[in-house]
Amino acid sequence: MAKKIVLGLLVLAAITGFLGAREADAPAEAANAPARAAAEPAESKWAVSLDLFPLTKGIIWSDSDKDNALFALAPAFEFAVYPHFTIGAALDMYFGEYSKVDIFYFGLAAHGRWYPLSNGLDKLFIDAGLGFNVFALDGETDADKGGMSGITMSLKAGYKLKFTPNFFLEPSMAYIYAKLPGGGIPTPLGWQPGLNIGVAF
């Protein structure tokens, strides 16, 4: 019986000593918290990126026929304004010659983006855009000459995959709506996949 009492007291002393040591370490951990926070990378507020798909499309269009020589560019940026929400803008432009016709497309839209799984600039997002675009054939934007101009709207879903705190890859799928030009010339409208590569800072 005495051995059990002594053993119980030893166990109780060990537990008490452990809890006391944890309490003694708590102020030191609290004091070190600011240093740890300073060592952690700050949450990104800005991001700039470039969509690789339009560049690829321009190369494919140019290689499809000797009369085609197109260059496409689609940069974008965004800024975190609230937790889970960013605003930004995206440019979509291509120009050159398609089947011996000079073409020019320009679209500029403002975007609002919601990140439901993070405070912003990371993981899944839903994006809505509103802007304007213009399409010209041989410098003409009139509909009866195959051109067009007007409002464009888009809805996009994607995922921002960060490889480092500053470098990301962003696959997405969007539906872009606007008036369609005539002449069967390819445009970045309708269902469009995207693959943006960029930096956050």
Side-chain angles (χ1 to χ4, degrees):
M1 185 67 175
K3 288 182 179 180
K4 290 183 179 179
I5 293 173
V6 171
L7 183 60
L9 290 173
L10 289 174
V11 171
L12 182 60
I15 293 173
T16 303
F18 175 76
L19 294 177
R22 290 296 298 166
E23 290 178 2
D25 289 342
E29 291 178 0
N32 291 333
R36 286 199 309 271
E40 293 176 356
E43 185 70 25
S44 300
K45 294 293 185 181
W46 290 85
V48 293
S49 64
L50 183 68
D51 194 339
L52 300 179
F53 275 21
L55 289 174
T56 305
K57 284 181 180 179
I59 294 171
I60 293 173
W61 289 336
S62 298
D63 288 344
S64 64
D65 192 286
K66 63 182 179 61
D67 295 323
N68 299 342
L70 296 175
F71 178 75
L73 188 66
F77 83 91
E78 61 179 314
F79 173 67
V81 290
Y82 296 109
H84 307 284
F85 190 75
T86 70
I87 59 173
L91 171 68
D92 203 349
M93 179 175 66
Y94 71 86
F95 55 89
E97 189 176 63
Y98 188 86
S99 298
K100 297 183 178 181
V101 176
D102 289 332
I103 66 172
F104 175 78
Y105 177 86
F106 178 88
L108 181 65
H111 287 260
R113 184 172 285 189
W114 177 49
Y115 289 85
L117 303 181
S118 72
N119 287 333
L121 303 180
D122 197 18
K123 300 184 174 66
L124 178 71
F125 65 84
I126 306 295
D127 182 302
L130 178 64
F132 72 96
N133 62 355
V134 59
F135 181 82
L137 289 176
D138 286 330
E140 299 289 342
T141 59
D142 294 339
D144 58 353
K145 296 182 179 179
M148 64 92 176
S149 62
I151 292 175
T152 179
M153 297 177 287
S154 66
L155 186 63
K156 178 192 293 187
Y159 196 93
K160 188 179 257 81
L161 179 61
K162 285 190 173 181
F163 293 103
T164 72
N166 301 104
F167 176 75
F168 65 85
L169 194 66
E170 185 183 284
S172 64
M173 177 61 75
Y175 184 79
I176 305 170
Y177 173 79
K179 292 191 296 184
L180 289 174
I185 304 295
T187 62
L189 303 176
W191 288 105
Q192 296 290 333
L195 185 62
N196 283 55
I197 186 170
V199 292
F201 50 93

